[in-house]
Amino acid sequence: DTEVTQTPKHLVMGMTNKKSLKCEQHMGHRAMYWYKQKAKKPPELMFVYSYEKLSINESVPSRFSPECPNSSLLNLHLHALQPEDSALYLCASSRRTSGDGYEQYFGPGTRLTVT
Amino acid sequence: SQQGEEDPQALSIQEGENATMNCSYKTSINNLQWYRQNSGRGLVHLILIRSNEREKHSGRLRVTLDTSKKSSSLLITASRAADTASYFCATANNNDMRFGAGTRLTVKP
């Protein structure tokens, strides 16, 4: 199984809502990532988990809160988002961190719209 | 934040022609990777080249890396309409991975 799954596929939320994005992999990967991608732009790294510990937090606003409950799951909790947070949110995983020479496997993404 | 630039930003070729995309970056790296993304979907890994390698091949793909110039190129030979996508280079350093701006490739049948 070389798949990274993400749910939901699409999400529309108001600025006062609280929602969560979920990501799952069963490849035994120990590094997991959240990226944000705006239209016609490259993915921007938000968070990196290595062995279930947060190792990189790219100065992301606190309205985004990541969680890694176990080695297969990654969540992104959303609260009080702004319309400019509307984007494609991509999850990825790799056997170990990419700096050690490992490719990342990406999920299909969650298309988030904040109204 | 973005690591570097890719050029061209957009490339349109006929099926059967070769496509070359270039990537420049700014910091030291452990390796450089190329990914493909079809419109609005997840990225697919194409090839990885380590900082001590200069050239690598995989099927119709050829990647070069020049660490002295902090640049890489991706060559796709004998292109097909199915190669139409956006192509991104990504530099990896420790736990960090940074994507370039990307090249939008259109292959006309």
Side-chain angles (χ1 to χ4, degrees):
Chain A
D1 182 4
T2 58
E3 192 181 20
V4 175
T5 59
Q6 288 188 246
T7 55
K9 285 188 169 51
H10 300 275
L11 178 61
V12 179
M13 60 186 288
M15 289 189 283
T16 58
N17 290 160
K18 282 185 182 180
K19 296 284 185 184
S20 296
L21 309 185
K22 296 185 185 301
C23 174
E24 193 166 0
Q25 56 87 15
H26 294 288
M27 295 178 276
H29 289 176
R30 302 312 297 272
M32 295 187 78
Y33 311 79
W34 279 115
Y35 291 89
K36 173 183 176 180
Q37 186 178 27
K38 302 282 269 185
K40 297 188 194 257
K41 295 289 186 184
E44 290 183 30
L45 186 64
M46 299 174 74
F47 302 105
V48 179
Y49 275 86
S50 178
Y51 290 87
E52 295 95 71
K53 285 189 169 52
L54 184 63
S55 65
I56 287 187
N57 175 351
E58 284 289 303
S59 300
V60 176
S62 59
R63 56 186 184 267
F64 295 91
S65 174
E67 179 195 17
C68 190
N70 60 56
S71 60
S72 299
L73 292 174
L74 188 64
N75 298 321
L76 186 62
H77 302 298
L78 314 172
H79 173 55
L81 294 193
Q82 303 296 310
E84 60 264 29
D85 296 322
S86 298
L88 182 68
Y89 287 84
L90 294 162
C91 172
S93 70
S94 59
R95 189 174 172 192
R96 303 290 184 266
T97 55
S98 292
D100 291 334
Y102 294 97
E103 66 195 79
Q104 293 189 12
Y105 291 76
F106 280 80
T110 293
R111 177 76 58 189
L112 174 67
T113 303
V114 182
T115 60
Chain B
S1 60
Q2 206 171 297
Q3 163 68 294
E5 298 300 319
E6 285 175 68
D7 81 274
Q9 289 186 333
L11 180 61
S12 183
I13 59 175
Q14 293 295 134
E15 212 165 24
E17 293 180 340
N18 296 342
T20 299
M21 289 161 262
N22 302 298
C23 165
S24 63
Y25 57 92
K26 297 172 184 170
T27 63
S28 62
I29 61 172
N30 295 124
N31 62 78
L32 186 144
Q33 305 182 27
W34 284 88
Y35 288 81
R36 185 183 76 193
Q37 184 177 35
N38 288 89
S39 183
R41 314 225 15 211
L43 284 78
V44 174
H45 180 264
L46 296 175
I47 194 165
L48 181 153
I49 187 164
R50 297 178 189 276
S51 59
N52 60 355
E53 297 176 309
R54 292 297 166 256
E55 187 171 315
K56 206 159 180 183
H57 297 255
S58 176
R60 294 184 296 115
L61 305 180
R62 172 178 170 256
V63 168
T64 62
L65 179 65
D66 187 335
T67 52
S68 65
K69 294 181 180 175
K70 291 187 166 60
S71 67
S72 173
S73 67
L74 171 68
L75 169 67
I76 303 174
T77 60
S79 63
R80 305 165 182 167
D83 294 329
T84 294
S86 291
Y87 291 81
F88 296 96
C89 68
T91 52
N93 193 13
N94 298 322
N95 291 345
D96 201 4
M97 187 120 121
R98 306 284 168 161
F99 283 82
T103 293
R104 174 69 194 166
L105 174 65
T106 302
V107 181
K108 299 174 185 175

